Amino acid sequence: MATTTYSKESAGGSLTARALREGFFAGLVAFGLFFLFVGLETTQNIRNELVLNQRWGLLAIFVAVAAAGRFLGVLYVQPWLAARKTAKAAVADKDVPETFLARNFSKLAILALVLMPPVAVALFGVQGSLKWVDNFGIQILIYVMLAWGLNIVVGLAGLLDLGYVAFYAVGAYSYALLSQHFGFSFWILLPLAGILAAFWGMILGFPVLRLKGDYLAIVTLAFGEIIRLVLINWTEVTKGTFGISGIPKASVFGIWSFDVGAANNFAKVFELPMSSAYYKIFLFYVILALALLTAYVTIRLRRMPIGRAWEALREDEIACRSLGINTVTTKLTAFATGAMFGGFAGSFFAVRQGFVSPESFVFLESAIILAIVVLGGMGSLVGIAVAATVMVGGTELLREMTFLKAIFGPDFTPELYRMLIFGLAMVVVMVWKPRGFVGSREPTAFLHERKAVSGSFTKEGHG
Amino acid sequence: MSALETNTMTNEPILKVEHLSMRFGGLMAINDLSFEARRGDITALIGPNGAGKTTVFNCVTGFYKPTMGMVTMTQRSGKKFLLERMPDFEITRDAKVARTFQNIRMFSGLTVLENLLVAQHNMLMRASGFTILGLLGFAGYRRATEQSIEIAKYWLEKADLLSRADDPAGDLPYGAQRRLEIARAMCTGPEFLCLDEPAAGLNPRESLALNELLRSIRQDTGTSILLIEHDMSVVMEISDHVIVLEYGQKISDGTPEEVKNDPRVIAAYLGVEDEEVEEVIEEIEEIQETEGGQGGKH
């Protein structure tokens, strides 16, 4: 906004006057923006006629929020931020000792996750815990795992992959089809799904090896769509858009089953009341273990020559070749490793849903996973986990916000706005932290002391 | 390898370039170039801008595939490699030819130490059983890592970068990045080192330090060096053998003294003298006339 560039003098002196004026302009802009988006709504009535609804009240709320937000922002938030900045600059000279929380963040987070299901059961009862364990816990952890898997390809090797969801689909359908046709158990098919996805990762890798940057992104995008369209159209095998239902449940290594009729049913064995919550809690620990495996392997791989070669590839491919690194196999292993974790997550997805259809593997999923990686800070496991929690947990949280209906009327469904808020959150984070939540990079080896590498030195990769 | 041994082996060619030609569309960047670089020598490749020096480098190190010609690398063991047939990364890995770049190519987001560890990729890859044994925590990989850090430390000390080992490579000043690039190339364990304008952009003091570094590389490891350079203080000071290129052709070849006094080299670098200007104009006119006549016939 042009008015923000005015200095205090030219704006007429007082801060309040400037805040008022900027608030007014913000309201004006909001009015212009939302006049057609919000103010007018077209619906069909019973006779199939198009009716124009006028929603001036809702429009007024939007404009008022924008104007008041700008007013308060200029009057209070901006001076406060400026004051904090100067205070921070004064503190920055001294060495601030890391707090206990900052030092042990990942350990504490893992501990909290391990303790989450029992705590949820204790607080909300067996049935009440379902929402927290399944909708929040499992949902978020699936995305954490997917984003960590994609992080190997995008964050470490710097290869922009827009079709990651294809490997997720390969894993899911591998489990769904092989368990139905051959009756293999989850624990056999989990590694198999990973191997199959890795194999498809290689198949994708070969044609795109020569491509870089935008061209690579387009081809991976197309690959994701090809897999989805094959799933839709190969109806004899995949049952097309109907999807595959009745996928067998996983068991606790064959010892206890979660099938209702089975003799070794978990609830029966332990003489607990029947509930689906036990199965979800079991699945929660499975996906937690899988996600932690992904993180562990990523951390170990980064200290291996292959992991360093991936990061070197991201920084400068020609220099890599001049040092005798075979960039073809290096890229292929990155694709295959990333795809393998996508396959693991996919087979877990199939076992959790009990139903897979091509609708779960649309491009939007790839975009969300990529957005999580970028928001978290490419290459940073902690940042990505935080981003997944904020993004996926945030959209789940929208369903809980029934109080918004009191403000916007009973027809208001907050989850319909989730993409709007998702986009807004991305813009805000990218303005606030252009390198994602954790922009710095941990070196994999050191001589004297471990110093984080600032994000301004690392590159995003060119393909 | 000691200095004595390298001296006994001098005269034996390590790199032999025969009838090398490289064509880009209608442009003949290198035209039938032949030269030799002898083992233990520092060979300099000089010439005016656009003479095709970097193209020769790219042909030797596999970044370009030459249109014609043969490039033979002979290792200490007597093993021969035909470089023009090998992909670029195999030239470094198997034939032991390392190179640096005219515009520095650093892994700027990795630390200085990590840059040197990436250079030892192939050795570490074998030690880690192609990642699998290393992932399972075998001791062999741990030992290899320690060894690789020792090698990195050795070259950091040589390049005077030991105190900056844990800083991002992109944070180093220009001269230090040049030295780091040479140290990184040396970490691949080469027998033949190709340096593309290592002194470009260095101040006189840094140039001197570079001379020292190159001399000690040859002295202590017996690595032969081929370098492109514009800075004559570096070329005349340290090279044993100078090759002069102009328009993709060799115009002179010999010791620095010989080359310095070669009239063709002087003409190429300084242009021709005043008395000769008229001759040159006449020559050009002649050429234009014959061409114009040919054009008329067609």
Side-chain angles (χ1 to χ4, degrees):
Chain A
M1 202 172 292
T3 46
T4 53
T5 55
Y6 288 177
S7 68
K8 264 185 189 165
E9 288 75 31
S10 65
S14 94
L15 191 63
T16 324
R18 193 166 69 102
L20 269 174
R21 188 163 50 249
E22 290 205 9
F24 174 72
F25 279 118
L28 214 61
V29 169
F31 179 78
L33 257 179
F34 292 115
F35 178 69
L36 290 174
F37 283 158
V38 179
L40 300 172
E41 184 194 33
T42 53
T43 47
Q44 280 179 327
N45 67 7
I46 274 173
R47 276 167 312 199
N48 232 3
E49 291 165 336
L50 209 57
V51 185
L52 194 66
N53 283 339
Q54 300 176 352
R55 302 192 288 185
W56 303 126
L58 196 62
L59 178 63
I61 292 173
F62 271 74
V63 172
V65 166
R70 184 74 201 168
F71 174 73
L72 292 175
V74 171
L75 197 56
Y76 296 111
V77 180
Q78 277 181 1
W80 177 71
L81 280 179
R84 214 179 64 146
K85 211 172 177 181
T86 47
K88 217 176 178 179
V91 171
D93 295 338
K94 299 164 202 154
D95 260 343
V96 186
E98 275 187 295
T99 59
F100 175 76
L101 191 74
R103 251 182 300 134
N104 299 303
F105 181 76
S106 32
K107 279 179 205 145
L108 289 175
I110 292 168
L111 188 71
L113 281 171
V114 171
L115 292 178
M116 185 190 146
V119 169
V121 168
L123 287 179
F124 304 101
V126 174
Q127 280 302 325
S129 72
L130 250 178
K131 187 177 84 186
W132 296 102
V133 172
D134 192 28
N135 290 5
F136 283 91
I138 296 181
Q139 186 73 8
I140 291 172
L141 282 173
I142 286 181
Y143 278 96
V144 169
M145 175 164 181
L146 283 170
W148 279 348
L150 182 63
N151 174 47
I152 293 174
V153 185
V154 178
L156 295 186
L159 304 162
L160 184 54
D161 184 354
L162 291 181
Y164 190 63
V165 82
F167 308 121
Y168 190 38
V170 168
Y173 272 83
S174 305
Y175 177 67
L177 292 171
L178 293 176
S179 67
Q180 282 206 331
H181 289 293
F182 301 104
F184 292 145
S185 81
F186 175 69
W187 297 106
I188 294 172
L189 287 176
L190 179 72
L192 203 62
I195 291 167
L196 282 171
F199 171 71
W200 279 100
M202 301 258 239
I203 291 191
L204 166 67
F206 267 112
V208 304
L209 280 170
R210 303 164 148 269
L211 305 176
K212 284 181 180 196
D214 307 350
Y215 305 97
L216 175 83
I218 294 292
V219 174
T220 53
L221 175 81
F223 179 78
E225 287 301 286
I226 288 170
I227 295 273
R228 190 173 66 88
L229 290 174
V230 167
L231 292 178
I232 290 176
N233 291 302
W234 197 9
T235 42
E236 301 96 83
V237 177
T238 63
K239 301 204 182 107
T241 44
F242 292 110
I244 299 169
S245 52
I247 297 169
K249 287 179 173 175
S251 64
V252 189
F253 305 108
I255 305 167
W256 298 299
S257 153
F258 291 97
D259 293 326
V260 181
N264 58 348
N265 182 293
F266 185 83
K268 269 189 213 160
V269 172
F270 291 92
E271 293 171 348
L272 295 163
M274 276 299 194
S275 166
S276 61
Y278 307 123
Y279 183 50
K280 296 297 181 190
I281 291 174
F282 164 67
L283 287 183
F284 177 87
Y285 284 117
V286 171
I287 187 67
L288 181 61
L290 284 174
L292 289 180
L293 175 79
T294 313
Y296 177 73
V297 170
T298 308
I299 291 169
R300 286 299 295 266
L301 280 179
R302 277 195 65 212
R303 292 184 193 149
M304 296 277 137
I306 188 73
R308 289 205 193 100
W310 287 339
E311 290 200 78
L313 198 65
R314 178 192 67 203
E315 299 288 323
D316 194 326
E317 187 179 338
I318 289 177
C320 272
R321 299 212 311 252
S322 84
L323 296 175
I325 294 173
N326 186 342
T327 50
V328 171
T329 51
T330 308
K331 281 186 189 175
L332 279 182
T333 48
F335 267 118
T337 315
M340 182 179 74
F341 290 114
F344 287 157
S347 71
F348 176 83
F349 174 79
V351 88
R352 175 218 185 188
Q353 302 291 84
F355 168 74
V356 287
S357 80
E359 229 163 87
S360 310
F361 308 110
V362 289
F363 169 67
L364 185 66
E365 291 293 315
S366 288
I368 288 177
I369 301 165
L370 185 67
I372 290 173
V373 174
V374 173
L375 282 180
M378 296 207 292
S380 156
L381 295 179
V382 173
I384 288 169
V386 171
T389 313
V390 170
M391 287 296 147
V392 182
T395 51
E396 288 297 318
L397 216 57
L398 278 179
R399 290 185 218 279
E400 308 297 314
M401 292 191 175
T402 40
F403 66 87
L404 287 175
K405 285 190 180 176
I407 306 172
F408 293 106
D411 293 337
F412 186 78
T413 38
E415 54 266 37
L416 289 184
Y417 288 80
R418 73 187 185 102
M419 275 301 135
L420 190 72
I421 294 173
F422 202 97
L424 196 69
M426 278 197 70
V427 173
V428 169
V429 174
M430 286 291 110
V431 169
W432 169 55
K433 286 210 151 183
R435 284 283 173 157
F437 289 136
V438 181
S440 61
R441 169 182 174 275
E442 277 288 303
T444 60
F446 62 97
L447 268 190
H448 314 296
E449 56 167 332
R450 192 181 287 277
K451 288 189 260 187
V453 176
S454 151
S456 55
F457 294 114
T458 51
K459 300 203 176 94
E460 295 93 350
H462 304 285
Chain B
M1 181 149 300
S2 73
L4 249 176
E5 268 177 286
T6 52
N7 283 339
T8 57
M9 278 201 246
T10 328
N11 293 338
E12 176 201 342
I14 181 164
L15 186 86
K16 212 166 169 181
V17 174
E18 289 161 284
H19 305 292
L20 186 73
S21 294
M22 181 79 210
R23 190 200 300 273
F24 295 108
L27 176 78
M28 208 65 171
I30 312 173
N31 195 357
D32 196 26
L33 174 72
S34 302
F35 70 88
E36 277 178 9
R38 285 185 294 274
R39 186 180 304 284
D41 268 9
I42 295 182
T43 309
L45 199 58
I46 64 171
N49 284 332
K53 304 180 297 285
T54 301
T55 311
V56 173
F57 253 53
N58 284 337
C59 287
V60 168
T61 53
F63 280 77
Y64 291 159
K65 291 283 152 248
T67 318
M68 272 180 282
M70 199 159 104
V71 183
T72 320
M73 159 85 193
T74 314
Q75 286 188 347
R76 248 174 237 140
S77 57
K79 218 168 161 192
K80 281 190 196 302
F81 291 89
L82 294 177
L83 301 187
E84 82 279 1
R85 298 183 186 173
M86 295 165 72
D88 43 22
F89 71 92
E90 282 181 12
I91 288 180
T92 307
R93 192 184 65 188
D94 303 330
K96 304 271 170 225
V97 177
R99 73 166 292 178
T100 65
F101 295 88
Q102 193 171 350
N103 36 5
I104 308 173
R105 288 188 173 276
M106 218 76 273
F107 304 128
S108 57
L110 309 190
T111 65
V112 171
L113 178 68
E114 282 177 309
N115 266 275
L116 300 189
L117 294 182
V118 170
Q120 301 175 53
H121 177 81
N122 290 310
M123 185 272 275
L124 288 170
M125 207 61 182
R126 275 191 301 278
S128 69
F130 295 92
T131 311
I132 295 156
L133 298 184
L135 213 53
L136 297 175
F138 273 65
Y141 175 62
R142 210 159 351 106
R143 272 199 303 276
T145 313
E146 281 161 18
Q147 194 195 335
S148 69
I149 288 181
E150 282 309 311
I151 294 174
K153 243 171 154 172
Y154 174 79
W155 284 110
L156 282 175
E157 216 172 315
K158 283 251 176 202
D160 194 22
L161 290 168
L162 200 54
S163 58
R164 305 216 55 176
D166 298 324
D167 289 332
D171 203 15
L172 296 183
Y174 193 80
Q177 289 196 12
R178 283 258 176 236
R179 292 202 303 278
L180 175 57
E181 207 186 15
I182 294 171
R184 191 179 65 180
M186 285 312 294
C187 277
T188 62
E191 288 194 20
F192 191 64
L193 179 65
C194 302
L195 304 173
D196 198 344
E197 296 202 21
L202 300 190
N203 63 33
R205 212 179 55 217
E206 286 172 324
S207 280
L208 276 181
L210 177 79
N211 287 354
E212 269 317 299
L213 178 63
L214 296 187
R215 275 212 197 88
S216 82
I217 284 175
R218 179 177 58 166
Q219 200 82 78
D220 301 344
T221 65
T223 307
S224 320
I225 297 174
L226 175 68
L227 62 94
I228 294 179
E229 194 46 75
H230 278 300
D231 188 337
M232 284 303 146
S233 72
V234 173
V235 172
M236 295 304 160
E237 180 79 4
I238 63 169
S239 47
D240 306 298
H241 176 197
V242 179
I243 296 153
V244 189
L245 289 190
E246 196 189 16
Y247 299 119
Q249 278 168 322
K250 186 166 82 175
I251 57 171
S252 185
D253 187 344
T255 64
E257 273 311 309
E258 287 166 16
V259 166
K260 221 192 291 186
N261 300 321
D262 187 327
R264 278 192 297 177
V265 177
I266 297 169
Y269 265 90
L270 304 176
V272 283
E273 279 166 337
D274 279 349
E275 293 90 9
E276 291 169 22
V277 169
E278 283 175 8
E279 285 177 34
V280 173
I281 291 173
E282 273 173 25
E283 269 175 34
I284 292 172
E285 278 173 355
E286 268 177 36
I287 294 167
Q288 278 175 345
E289 265 171 29
T290 51
E291 273 178 3
Q294 280 169 351
K297 278 175 203 164
H298 279 294

